[in-house]
Amino acid sequence: MDDEGLLVEGIPDGARLVLVTPSHQYPLGMAMSLRRRLALLAWAEEHGAAIVEDDYDSEFRLGGRPLEPLQMLDDAGRVIYVGTFSKTMLPTLRLGFVVVPGSIRRAVMAARFVADWHSPLPTQRALANFIRDGGFARHVRRMRGLYRERHDRITTILARRFADELRVIPAATGVHLAALATRRSAGRIDEVIAHAASLGVGVQATAGFAVDHEPRPGILFGYGGIETDRIEEAMERLRTSFDVR
Ligand SMILES: Cc1ncc(COP(=O)(O)O)c(C=O)c1O
C-alpha cells in the first residue's frame, strides 16, 4: 500500500480474489483513490478475478464527499459488496449484508444455505423496522457527530502532544484512526502499549496486522467505546508511557 491504498501492481500472480476496504483501509485508514479504484477494477477484468469490497464503516464520514464505491464503478460484475451492522449498531448483533453480481447470486445463496441457512429472523425483522421507521438513520446521524468529535479530539491532542512520536494517517471515515511511529521501533511501540495498558488505556499496535512483510510501527486508536470527555486523560497516560523506560 501507499497513500492511495492498495498497490495494484503488487497483487500476486494467479490471485483470483482480492478483499479490500477502499473507504478506510483496515487498519491504516487511508481511502483508496479513484485512480487506484479504476486500476483495481481493470485488473480484475483483465485477470478474471473477483473483488470483495468490505465497506465496514463508511457510514461514519468525517466530512467531505465520499468516493464512488467500487461496486458503483463496476460495470463488469466483478465486485461483491459487503456491509455490516457491527459498527453502526453493535458487533454482537451479527447482522450484515452483501450485494452480489447477478452471475453468482444463486451460488452465494446456496453457500449461505449450507453454512447456516440464515441469520435470526426476529433480529432481522426488528432491524428492518428500525430502518423503515427512520430510527437507524437518526442513530447513525447522531453517532456520526459523536465520533467526529472524538476523532477531532484525538487528532488535536496527537498534533499538540505527540508530534515528535506519531504521524496521523488522515482518514475520511470510521471509528478508528492510525498513527505511524516517527522514530520508534515496533518493539518499543509494543512496550509503550503495554505500559499504557497497565494504566488502563487500551490501544493496538499496527505492526500486529502485518502478515508477511516488515511491520510499520504505529498505534491504532479505536474511539467507538470511549466517552469523549475521557479522551484527554487517556491520551495523557499514553504520553507518559512514551516517556518512561
Ligand atoms: C475490516 C473489517 N471488516 C468488517 C468488520 C465487521 O465484521 P462483522 O460484520 O463480521 O462483525 C470489521 C470489524 O468489526 C472490520 O474491522
Side-chain angles (χ1 to χ4, degrees):
M1 279 165 315
D2 61 12
D3 291 349
E4 293 187 52
L6 179 82
L7 289 164
V8 175
E9 66 270 24
I11 298 172
D13 287 342
R16 300 294 314 285
L17 186 122
V18 174
L19 189 148
V20 283
T21 48
S23 299
H24 193 208
Q25 198 278 339
Y26 194 83
L28 294 180
M30 65 288 264
M32 191 186 291
S33 68
L34 180 61
R35 179 166 68 158
R36 206 55 71 71
R37 290 172 195 233
L38 296 172
L40 179 59
L41 287 168
W43 172 89
E45 177 70 353
E46 190 181 324
H47 292 81
I51 302 167
V52 176
E53 178 171 28
D54 177 9
D55 206 15
Y56 64 104
D57 68 0
S58 65
E59 293 86 354
F60 300 122
R61 286 202 62 74
L62 295 161
R65 279 197 42 222
L67 287 166
E68 291 282 285
L70 290 170
Q71 201 266 342
M72 305 266 289
L73 297 168
D74 173 33
D75 49 20
R78 296 270 154 209
V79 177
I80 300 154
Y81 180 92
V82 181
T84 181
F85 291 99
S86 286
K87 304 281 183 184
T88 46
M89 296 293 289
L90 66 168
T92 48
L93 198 60
R94 307 314 307 142
L95 284 181
F97 54 93
V98 53
V99 183
V100 299
S103 58
I104 62 166
R105 185 164 175 266
R106 285 178 68 86
V108 169
M109 286 174 74
R112 182 65 202 258
F113 190 83
V114 295
D116 67 347
W117 198 6
H118 55 66
S119 299
L121 291 176
T123 1
Q124 289 193 62
R125 171 59 65 88
L127 184 60
N129 289 345
F130 189 53
I131 293 170
R132 194 199 52 218
D133 298 344
F136 181 74
R138 265 198 310 280
H139 168 69
V140 167
R141 236 183 349 262
R142 193 166 65 84
M143 295 314 290
R144 190 184 294 137
L146 256 181
Y147 291 149
R148 189 179 299 146
E149 229 180 282
R150 293 179 195 172
H151 169 274
D152 293 352
R153 188 152 315 180
I154 294 170
T155 49
T156 303
I157 297 170
L158 283 172
R160 197 176 68 223
R161 300 278 293 130
F162 292 81
D164 53 339
E165 297 286 1
L166 297 170
R167 182 178 58 80
V168 175
I169 301 178
T173 181
V175 284
H176 81 271
L177 63 92
L180 295 179
T182 53
R183 56 182 183 168
R184 309 285 184 179
S185 66
R188 177 67 190 128
I189 291 293
D190 283 343
E191 289 171 7
V192 169
I193 289 175
H195 189 270
S198 75
L199 301 177
V201 177
V203 288
Q204 273 182 292
T206 53
F209 292 88
V211 178
D212 57 3
H213 58 84
E214 195 58 28
R216 298 188 205 182
I219 295 181
L220 206 63
F221 297 84
Y223 47 85
I226 185 168
E227 296 298 329
T228 310
D229 58 12
R230 298 189 69 202
I231 289 175
E232 184 97 36
E233 169 64 20
M235 294 296 280
E236 258 335 287
R237 292 183 197 179
L238 180 65
R239 179 67 246 189
T240 307
S241 306
F242 269 100
D243 299 333
V244 295
R245 274 234 66 113

